[in-house]
Amino acid sequence: MKLQLTAILLCFCFLSSVTAQDPVEIIDKMYAAIKKMNKSSFELHSKERFGDKYVYKKMKFHIQESPRKVYMKDLDKGVELLYVSGWNNNKGYINPNGFPWVNVSLSIYDSQVVSENHHTVDDAGFGFVNVLLDGLETTRKSAGKDRTVLYVYKGEVTYEGRACYKIYLYPPTEFKYVSYTTDRDQTLMQLSRRIFASDYLIKEKNKLSYTRTIKKGTTLSVPSNYAKKVIAYVDKKTYMPIVQMLYDEQGLFEKFEYKKVVAYPKFQSNEFTTDCSTYGF
């Protein structure tokens, strides 16, 4: 009898330890880990919805958060892009790996650069997750809600051999499209950051472009939150959100999987220059 009681108690304690994870604490640790990591390299496998179809991409990134420096290579097409804040007139330097067979400089918001992408390279990296979290928290405070309504712990999951926390993130208010009239001239990116909404969903709904200035007094249909639901796999060891799945009223609209993640890599002294020997410029 004593042995049975002991076994039951041990089982209860084990189950309690499994289910007692605090999602707010996990999110806070994730936020701190992301903020601390100024350099990273990884492969990004993306799945993004365009109309009724999904576009799949595999890209390699080397990133320095501050000052902002990004190297990207499309692993399927061989296209390379180098962006360094303050360099090259703040334009991306691009090896198209094809026609016109010469390197070109284009704005990272140019339609040719963001074609078949929900995001610009300025969003690349884990730092953008913290931008989303800041938006969630700001909206929560405005709605007068407690932090516990935002995050739900859904157990653990193994992703490519990595033990992860599975966290659901919900906006504090209903996800829906609302009418919004701009109170100033601004770009799509500036607007999306101001109202904490997906620039791609605004762009798609209103047929906008990243380079076009949205004039003061323009009335748009915009989402009330960035997403209806976000599912994140947070690496238990590094606290990096290595899988992110974002949903709107239609279902999944973007998914990002981070592979071969290296935190604080040792970049070469000429890493973010056209002289770097590992680049193809």
Side-chain angles (χ1 to χ4, degrees):
M1 183 66 180
K2 286 184 177 181
L3 287 174
Q4 288 179 330
L5 182 59
T6 301
I8 291 171
L9 288 171
L10 287 172
C11 182
F12 177 77
C13 291
F14 173 75
L15 289 174
S16 297
S17 67
V18 170
T19 58
Q21 296 292 343
D22 181 357
V24 174
E25 181 182 354
I26 293 170
I27 289 295
D28 285 346
K29 288 182 177 179
M30 179 185 77
Y31 188 97
I34 291 173
K35 191 172 182 180
K36 182 181 177 181
M37 189 171 66
N38 190 45
K39 295 179 181 180
S40 62
S41 66
F42 53 84
E43 279 188 17
L44 179 65
H45 293 202
S46 65
K47 175 182 179 180
E48 297 177 319
R49 191 184 69 217
F50 291 86
D52 59 354
K53 297 180 180 180
Y54 286 103
V55 172
Y56 300 82
K57 287 194 173 185
K58 296 178 182 178
M59 296 166 283
K60 179 172 72 174
F61 282 93
H62 292 177
I63 292 178
Q64 178 176 293
E65 295 292 346
S66 182
R68 185 69 169 170
K69 299 179 181 182
V70 180
Y71 167 77
M72 183 278 293
K73 182 174 183 178
D74 186 316
L75 295 177
D76 294 318
K77 298 180 179 179
V79 176
E80 295 175 287
L81 184 148
L82 179 63
Y83 173 75
V84 176
S85 178
W87 172 76
N88 195 32
N89 293 318
N90 271 327
K91 293 183 177 181
Y93 192 70
I94 301 164
N95 165 21
N97 194 39
F99 185 83
W101 309 108
V102 293
N103 297 330
V104 295
S105 295
L106 292 171
S107 166
I108 59 174
Y109 305 107
D110 189 281
S111 59
Q112 298 176 75
V113 179
V114 296
S115 175
E116 296 188 336
N117 289 285
H118 280 194
H119 298 272
T120 72
V121 294
D122 206 27
D123 290 342
F126 291 105
F128 185 68
V129 175
N130 278 4
V131 173
L132 299 186
L133 291 177
D134 287 339
L136 267 179
E137 293 287 353
T138 299
T139 307
R140 173 194 66 80
K141 291 175 183 176
S142 298
K145 300 290 183 68
D146 189 81
R147 293 189 74 200
T148 55
V149 305
L150 299 181
Y151 315 114
V152 179
Y153 175 70
K154 291 287 188 176
E156 296 185 11
V157 63
T158 300
Y159 174 76
E160 296 197 341
R162 308 288 296 186
C164 300
Y165 299 115
K166 187 177 183 180
I167 305 292
Y168 281 32
L169 295 83
Y170 295 102
T173 57
E174 179 187 3
F175 179 92
K176 59 183 179 180
Y177 281 87
V178 297
S179 179
Y180 178 87
T181 301
T182 58
D183 61 357
R184 69 196 75 183
D185 290 355
Q186 59 199 311
T187 65
L188 173 60
M189 186 68 75
Q190 290 169 335
L191 172 62
S192 66
R193 294 293 190 273
R194 183 167 289 115
I195 65 174
F196 307 113
S198 164
D199 44 325
Y200 174 74
L201 292 181
I202 299 171
K203 176 175 176 282
E204 180 184 50
K205 192 77 170 179
N206 299 278
K207 310 301 180 185
L208 301 173
S209 69
Y210 281 105
T211 54
R212 171 187 163 189
T213 298
I214 303 169
K215 295 295 185 181
K216 178 181 178 180
T218 302
T219 299
L220 304 168
S221 180
V222 302
S224 56
N225 293 281
Y226 192 91
K228 184 176 182 178
K229 176 180 69 176
V230 179
I231 300 175
Y233 295 171
V234 182
D235 190 307
K236 289 182 66 176
K237 185 176 181 180
T238 66
Y239 281 92
M240 289 294 119
I242 57 176
V243 178
Q244 304 153 27
M245 293 169 277
L246 297 93
Y247 298 80
D248 64 2
E249 81 287 358
Q250 297 180 52
L252 180 73
F253 73 91
E254 53 188 32
K255 178 181 180 180
F256 304 109
E257 300 174 80
Y258 290 78
K259 304 172 184 285
K260 302 179 182 178
V261 178
V262 178
Y264 318 107
K266 276 195 169 184
F267 290 139
Q268 300 179 49
S269 59
N270 64 351
E271 183 73 33
F272 295 100
T273 73
T274 56
D275 295 327
C276 183
S277 60
T278 59
Y279 300 168
F281 297 109

